[in-house]
Amino acid sequence: MALTEESSNKIFGGYQKIFSHDSEEVGCKMRFGVYLPPQVEENKKLPVIYWLSGLTCSEANFVEKSGAQRYAAEYGIIIVNPDTSPRGLNIPGDSENWDFGVGAGFYVNATKEPWKKNYRMFSYITSELPKLINNNFPAAEGLQSIMGHSMGGHGALISALKNPGMYKSVSAFAPICNPSVCPWGIKSFTGYLGSEEASSWSEWDATQLVKKYNGPTLELLIDQGLEDNFLKSGQLLPENLIESCTSSKVPAILKKREGYNHSYYYIASFIGEHIKYHAEHLLSKKL
Amino acid sequence: MALTEESSNKIFGGYQKIFSHDSEEVGCKMRFGVYLPPQVEENKKLPVIYWLSGLTCSEANFVEKSGAQRYAAEYGIIIVNPDTSPRGLNIPGDSENWDFGVGAGFYVNATKEPWKKNYRMFSYITSELPKLINNNFPAAEGLQSIMGHSMGGHGALISALKNPGMYKSVSAFAPICNPSVCPWGIKSFTGYLGSEEASSWSEWDATQLVKKYNGPTLELLIDQGLEDNFLKSGQLLPENLIESCTSSKVPAILKKREGYNHSYYYIASFIGEHIKYHAEHLLSKKL
C-alpha cells in the first residue's frame, strides 16, 4: 500500500498534499488530499476529519475552494478528502451521466454487475483509507470525525450510522438525506444495487438507518442553504431525516442558512463552524 | 456602460458576483468579479480594493481560491478583480503563448501593432473600471487600494506609482518587480511596446518608476514566498525593487515567507494580512 506524493503546497503553516495509491477495494489508482497542519511538527498524534465530496467532484474541489486549511491549522487537525469514485476503469456506461458512474460513486458497495467489483466506495472510505492514513501519517487512532457535501453528506451520514462509535462526530452540508425516494438516489441505487424490491436500499439511506441506530450517542449536524436549487427540487429532503431523528430520538441539529445555495461559496462560509464543532468532539473540550 | 450580472453567490454574508460589460478601452466584452460585503446593506459607501491576477488567470481564480471574501466581510470592504487581458478578439498570435497575449495583458497600454488598439489594460484598470465601479456600486470615491499577484503584483505597483495619490495603499504577492530585465517582462514589453531603445520600458517598470516617484508618501508592501520557483529563476527580482526603494527613500516592506511557493495556497495564507493592511489605510485606523 505504497503512497505516491503527487503535490505538496504550504498553506497556513502546514502542507496541503495530494497522494495517489493503488486501492485494493476499488481496484484502481485513487487520489486523496491530506492537510497536515503545522502541529505535526510537534510529533504529536493528531485527530483526523474525513471530508466526502459531492457529485462530479474529484479530490481537488475541496482542497482548492473550501478554505478548510485555515481552520485545520487553528485547531491542529488533519483533514483527509478522497475522490468520489473509481476512475480510469472504462466500465461500459461509467461516463455517460454526471450523476452516475465516474464522479458519482455514492459511497455504497455496489452489488450489481458491472459495478460490484470496483464501486466499493463505502469500504474504501470507512476501512481501506483510514488504515492507510493511520499507517502513514501521525493520526491519533480512534480520534476521527466525518463530514461531507451533498452526495458526500449522504456518505458521511451513512458512514457514521453504519459504524457506531467509529466517528466522534458527523456533519453534512446540504446532504442527500433520503436517497431511496429522491431522483439522484433512485438512479444510483437502482444502478449499483438493483431494484428496491430485490435489494436493501434502506441499508444505505440515512433516513432509514437512523431508525435502527444502536450505539453511542451520535448527534447529526445538518447544514442547509435555503436558496439551494437541489433542496427546492426535492433531491435533499432534510425534513425527512429530521422527522426520522425526532421519532427515533436520535439528536439532530438543522442549521438553515438564509440566501445560501449549493456551491463551495456556501461551504466556505460555514466550514469553519463545522471544523470547530468536530474539533470540540475530537479534543473533548469547548473551543 | 451597462453591466450584465453573470453570477451571484452568497458567501460570508455578502455576495460574490461576476459581471460582464463591453469595454471601450480594450474593445471587447470583459468580465470582472466584485465582492459586496454584508455592510452594503447598511447603505453606506464602502472602500474598494482592486486585485490584479497573474499570468493565465481569468477573474475566476481569485474568486474561487483566495479566500479573500472572509476578510472583506470582516472589514466591510468591496473587492474588485478584473480579467488579465482582452479576450475573444483573435488577434494573430494572441493565443500561441501562455505568457503573452490572452491571459497576459501585463497591465500596460500597448503601443505596437497589432496590440495597441486593444491591449490597453492599464487604462482599463486605472480609469474605465474604477468609473464603472463608482457608478454602479456603493463605492466611497477616493477610498481605494490596489494589490495583485505576480504579473498582477507588477500591475498593482505601476498603477500606484504612476498615479500618485490615487490609491491609499498598495501591496503585491510575488510581484514581477523589474520587468525590463526578466524574461517574462522582456518578452511582453518587446511585444506590446517595441524594443527598449525605441520605447520607454522604464515607464512600466516599478523598479524604475520608484526612482522618480513624486507624490504622497506611498509604502510598498511586497510579499514573497521563499520556495517560489519563479523567484529562483529570476523572474521576480524583489531585491532590485527594494534596492531602488532604499536609494530613492521610498518606504518598502519585504515579507519573506519560508516554505511558500507561487500558488494560491500561498496567497490564501496571507491575503487576510494584506486586506487588514489595506483596511487600516482605507479606514484610517488600527485594526
Side-chain angles (χ1 to χ4, degrees):
Chain A
M1 299 211 298
L3 292 181
T4 303
E5 186 175 297
E6 301 283 350
S7 66
S8 177
N9 288 279
K10 193 169 184 180
I11 175 167
F12 286 107
Y15 285 88
Q16 177 64 58
K17 294 173 182 279
I18 306 287
F19 288 93
S20 65
H21 71 109
D22 291 318
S23 163
E24 289 173 20
E25 283 292 351
V26 306
C28 67
K29 187 168 153 177
M30 290 290 280
R31 289 163 68 97
F32 63 87
V34 58
Y35 180 66
L36 300 172
Q39 292 86 348
V40 297
E41 289 173 20
E42 296 163 20
N43 290 318
K44 287 189 302 191
K45 299 277 193 181
L46 301 176
V48 180
I49 301 175
Y50 289 85
W51 168 272
L52 305 182
S53 290
L55 288 165
T56 78
C57 288
S58 72
E59 82 294 342
N61 310 64
F62 176 78
V63 159
E64 295 175 1
K65 296 182 174 179
S66 72
Q69 295 93 347
R70 173 176 175 167
Y71 310 98
E74 189 175 341
Y75 301 118
I77 290 174
I78 294 169
I79 301 193
V80 175
N81 67 299
D83 201 347
T84 55
S85 76
R87 287 185 197 262
L89 294 167
N90 298 315
I91 298 172
D94 73 1
S95 300
E96 288 163 18
N97 298 278
W98 64 271
D99 55 2
F100 186 79
V102 171
F106 247 84
Y107 305 105
V108 300
N109 286 340
T111 52
K112 216 180 131 184
E113 294 292 359
W115 313 105
K116 69 181 191 182
K117 177 161 178 278
N118 302 100
Y119 275 67
R120 297 181 50 77
M121 287 298 289
F122 184 75
S123 291
Y124 177 70
I125 56 167
T126 59
S127 175
E128 183 177 7
L129 185 60
K131 276 184 213 145
L132 205 60
I133 297 302
N134 291 337
N135 286 339
N136 288 278
F137 302 98
E141 247 175 275
L143 281 187
Q144 55 190 10
S145 291
I146 193 161
M147 61 179 175
H149 172 231
S150 196
M151 174 183 76
H154 145 76
L157 292 169
I158 65 169
S159 295
L161 289 166
K162 286 167 78 75
N163 292 289
M166 185 164 157
Y167 301 98
K168 295 287 178 198
S169 49
V170 59
S171 77
F173 290 84
I176 300 172
C177 292
N178 195 4
S180 305
V181 298
C182 80
W184 279 337
I186 292 170
K187 181 174 181 174
S188 76
F189 282 10
T190 305
Y192 295 132
L193 305 172
S195 69
E196 185 163 19
E197 297 73 39
S199 56
S200 33
W201 287 12
S202 64
E203 291 299 312
W204 303 101
D205 183 320
T207 296
Q208 296 298 326
L209 288 166
V210 157
K211 295 177 186 167
K212 54 180 184 176
Y213 178 77
N214 186 9
T217 300
L218 180 72
E219 180 180 75
L220 310 187
L221 172 55
I222 311 298
D223 203 298
Q224 182 60 59
L226 296 183
E227 289 304 313
D228 183 331
N229 286 332
F230 299 117
L231 174 69
K232 296 177 185 180
S233 61
Q235 296 280 20
L236 308 178
L237 305 170
E239 63 280 9
N240 293 9
L241 177 60
I242 297 301
E243 194 183 305
S244 190
C245 286
T246 305
S247 64
S248 307
K249 298 194 170 42
V250 168
I253 301 169
L254 176 60
K255 298 254 185 188
K256 297 179 181 180
R257 312 293 191 178
E258 197 86 46
Y260 287 88
N261 61 25
H262 200 70
S263 69
Y264 267 88
Y265 297 103
Y266 151 63
I267 295 171
S269 304
F270 302 105
I271 192 84
E273 201 175 306
H274 282 238
I275 292 175
K276 185 179 178 197
Y277 173 85
H278 292 298
E280 291 183 336
H281 285 79
L282 289 163
L283 306 170
S284 302
K285 63 179 175 190
K286 195 81 194 157
L287 295 169
Chain B
M1 298 211 299
L3 294 181
T4 303
E5 186 176 297
E6 301 283 350
S7 66
S8 178
N9 288 279
K10 192 168 185 182
I11 175 168
F12 286 109
Y15 285 87
Q16 178 64 58
K17 293 172 183 278
I18 306 288
F19 288 93
S20 66
H21 70 109
D22 292 317
S23 163
E24 288 172 21
E25 283 293 351
V26 305
C28 67
K29 187 168 154 177
M30 290 291 280
R31 290 162 68 97
F32 63 87
V34 58
Y35 179 66
L36 301 173
Q39 293 84 348
V40 298
E41 288 173 21
E42 296 163 18
N43 291 316
K44 286 189 300 191
K45 299 277 192 180
L46 301 177
V48 180
I49 301 176
Y50 289 85
W51 168 271
L52 305 181
S53 290
L55 288 165
T56 76
C57 288
S58 71
E59 82 293 342
N61 310 63
F62 176 78
V63 159
E64 295 175 0
K65 296 182 175 180
S66 72
Q69 296 93 347
R70 174 178 174 167
Y71 311 98
E74 188 174 343
Y75 301 119
I77 290 174
I78 294 169
I79 301 193
V80 175
N81 68 298
D83 202 347
T84 55
S85 76
R87 286 183 197 262
L89 294 166
N90 298 314
I91 297 172
D94 72 2
S95 301
E96 288 163 16
N97 298 278
W98 64 272
D99 55 2
F100 186 78
V102 171
F106 247 84
Y107 306 105
V108 301
N109 286 340
T111 52
K112 218 181 130 187
E113 294 291 357
W115 312 104
K116 68 180 192 182
K117 179 163 178 275
N118 303 102
Y119 277 67
R120 297 181 51 77
M121 286 299 289
F122 184 75
S123 292
Y124 176 70
I125 56 166
T126 60
S127 175
E128 184 177 4
L129 185 59
K131 276 183 212 145
L132 205 60
I133 297 302
N134 291 337
N135 287 338
N136 288 279
F137 301 98
E141 246 176 275
L143 280 188
Q144 55 190 10
S145 291
I146 192 162
M147 60 179 177
H149 172 231
S150 196
M151 175 183 75
H154 144 76
L157 292 168
I158 65 169
S159 294
L161 290 165
K162 286 168 77 74
N163 292 288
M166 186 164 156
Y167 301 98
K168 295 289 176 195
S169 49
V170 59
S171 77
F173 290 84
I176 300 171
C177 292
N178 195 4
S180 305
V181 300
C182 80
W184 280 338
I186 292 169
K187 180 173 182 175
S188 75
F189 282 9
T190 304
Y192 295 132
L193 305 170
S195 71
E196 183 161 22
E197 299 73 37
S199 57
S200 32
W201 289 12
S202 64
E203 291 299 312
W204 303 101
D205 183 319
T207 295
Q208 297 298 326
L209 288 167
V210 156
K211 295 177 186 168
K212 54 177 184 176
Y213 178 76
N214 186 10
T217 300
L218 180 73
E219 182 180 72
L220 310 187
L221 171 56
I222 311 298
D223 204 296
Q224 182 60 59
L226 296 183
E227 289 304 313
D228 183 331
N229 285 332
F230 299 117
L231 173 70
K232 296 177 183 180
S233 62
Q235 295 280 20
L236 308 177
L237 305 170
E239 62 281 9
N240 294 10
L241 176 60
I242 297 300
E243 195 184 303
S244 191
C245 286
T246 305
S247 65
S248 307
K249 300 193 170 39
V250 168
I253 302 168
L254 176 60
K255 298 255 185 187
K256 297 179 180 179
R257 312 294 190 177
E258 198 86 49
Y260 287 88
N261 61 24
H262 200 70
S263 68
Y264 266 88
Y265 296 105
Y266 152 63
I267 296 171
S269 304
F270 302 106
I271 192 84
E273 201 175 308
H274 282 239
I275 292 175
K276 186 180 179 196
Y277 173 85
H278 292 297
E280 290 182 337
H281 285 80
L282 290 163
L283 305 171
S284 302
K285 61 178 176 189
K286 195 82 193 156
L287 294 169

